[in-house]
Amino acid sequence: GQSLEQPSEVTAVEGAIVQINCTYQTSGFYGLSWYQQHDGGAPTFLSYNALDGLEETGRFSSFLSRSDSYGYLLLQELQMKDSASYFCAVRSRDSSYKLIFGSGTRLLVRP
Amino acid sequence: DADVTQTPRNRITKTGKRIMLECSQTKGHDRMYWYRQDPGLGLQLIYYSFDVKDINKGEISDGYSVSRQAQAKFSLSLESAIPNQTALYFCATSDLLSTGSTAGELFFGEGSRLTVL
């Protein structure tokens, strides 16, 4: 089976940098995704890492270490609109390649 | 128009009633999913389908059934709703041919909020 762990809440100040960690256990790993969800809204895709290293997309970056079963999402130059929940999700290398989600990290950005 | 459309967006029903949530997509994707979201529990996979003839159970399929009527349509049914099925339900799609940086991308509908009294 698969399991993912991420902190339940993180608070940061506008303009700062915040890192949201995710550790996972899976029987066959294929990649790690990150999603953002604002209250009452649909999850939206942010990034995907299949290989070790850092992927950068604007203010957001995502990192993966396959040997450590660990990844993180890095948000720079935080803005108030970044207040949302962030989910990591594992794509499993079994017959299904389905995505299994973590329970999410609620980020509160304060002025 | 949204690429992934869910109906109804909100529904209040009573225990024991049969409920169907519908999902249609215009993205041309083969893969479709139903997820359930409870506060603090993230997204849990109920069922998924990789084509019209392929239906698979997810993590929490008990009490639910699905039908893949066409490539573009995937419906979720609660045969006899119970209060602990009160949740936000999301339909999602993905592209079989996604590779590279978008390989882990799902496209979600806006959600269907179901309340069972």
Side-chain angles (χ1 to χ4, degrees), chain A residues 33 35 37 42 48 91 96 99, chain B residues 35 37 48 50 100-101 104 106 109:
Chain A
S33 298
Y35 285 79
Q37 184 182 30
Y48 176 72
R91 190 180 184 205
S96 67
L99 278 186
Chain B
Y35 283 90
Q37 186 172 35
Y48 59 102
F50 284 177
S101 63
L106 297 183

Side-chain angles (χ1 to χ4, degrees), chain B residues 14-87:
Chain B
K14 295 181 178 180
T15 298
K17 294 291 187 181
R18 184 179 187 272
I19 295 297
M20 179 180 287
L21 305 179
E22 299 185 341
C23 177
S24 62
Q25 52 115 345
T26 58
K27 299 192 71 68
H29 290 166
D30 287 315
R31 300 181 175 187
M32 299 187 73
Y33 311 78
W34 276 104
Y35 283 90
R36 166 179 171 158
Q37 186 172 35
D38 297 281
L41 291 183
L43 292 151
Q44 296 175 278
L45 183 62
I46 306 172
Y47 271 96
Y48 59 102
S49 168
F50 284 177
D51 65 43
V52 174
K53 298 179 181 179
D54 177 75
I55 302 290
N56 303 280
K57 292 182 178 181
E59 305 164 276
I60 55 164
S61 59
D62 287 348
Y64 302 94
S65 62
V66 291
S67 174
R68 185 81 184 266
Q69 300 95 323
Q71 187 208 35
K73 296 183 182 298
F74 192 37
S75 60
L76 175 72
S77 293
L78 289 69
E79 296 300 324
S80 180
I82 56 177
N84 74 3
Q85 292 178 310
T86 293

Side-chain angles (χ1 to χ4, degrees), chain A residues 79-92:
Chain A
Q79 302 176 8
M80 299 298 290
K81 68 178 182 179
D82 296 330
S83 292
S85 292
Y86 293 84
F87 296 89
C88 58
V90 168
R91 190 180 184 205
S92 63

Side-chain angles (χ1 to χ4, degrees), chain B residues 1 28 106 109 113:
Chain B
D1 288 343
L106 297 183
R113 186 171 296 280

Side-chain angles (χ1 to χ4, degrees), chain A residues 2 30 32-35 37 40-50 55 85 87 89 91 94-104, chain B residues 9 31 33 35 37 40-45 48 50 57-59 88 90 95-96 98 100-111 113:
Chain A
Q2 295 94 9
Y30 196 74
L32 186 71
S33 298
W34 287 93
Y35 285 79
Q37 184 182 30
T44 56
F45 175 78
L46 292 176
S47 66
Y48 176 72
N49 295 67
E55 294 279 345
S85 292
F87 296 89
R91 190 180 184 205
D94 58 14
S95 60
S96 67
Y97 291 98
K98 60 184 182 289
L99 278 186
I100 300 298
F101 284 78
S103 57
Chain B
R9 294 291 313 280
R31 300 181 175 187
Y33 311 78
Y35 283 90
Q37 186 172 35
L41 291 183
L43 292 151
Q44 296 175 278
L45 183 62
Y48 59 102
F50 284 177
K57 292 182 178 181
E59 305 164 276
L88 184 57
F90 286 103
D95 186 357
L96 171 66
S98 286
S101 63
T102 63
E105 183 171 12
L106 297 183
F107 297 85
F108 284 85
E110 291 302 307
R113 186 171 296 280

Side-chain angles (χ1 to χ4, degrees), chain A residues 23-98:
Chain A
T23 58
Y24 60 87
Q25 289 185 318
T26 180
S27 56
F29 178 81
Y30 196 74
L32 186 71
S33 298
W34 287 93
Y35 285 79
Q36 179 192 61
Q37 184 182 30
H38 287 99
D39 284 348
T44 56
F45 175 78
L46 292 176
S47 66
Y48 176 72
N49 295 67
L51 303 176
D52 287 357
L54 193 68
E55 294 279 345
E56 298 183 62
T57 308
R59 295 188 296 113
F60 293 2
S61 303
S62 57
F63 172 83
L64 176 65
S65 169
R66 295 170 67 105
S67 60
D68 295 324
S69 296
Y70 164 75
Y72 66 72
L73 180 69
L74 190 72
L75 297 83
Q76 303 182 73
E77 302 174 12
L78 281 173
Q79 302 176 8
M80 299 298 290
K81 68 178 182 179
D82 296 330
S83 292
S85 292
Y86 293 84
F87 296 89
C88 58
V90 168
R91 190 180 184 205
S92 63
R93 189 189 287 275
D94 58 14
S95 60
S96 67
Y97 291 98
K98 60 184 182 289

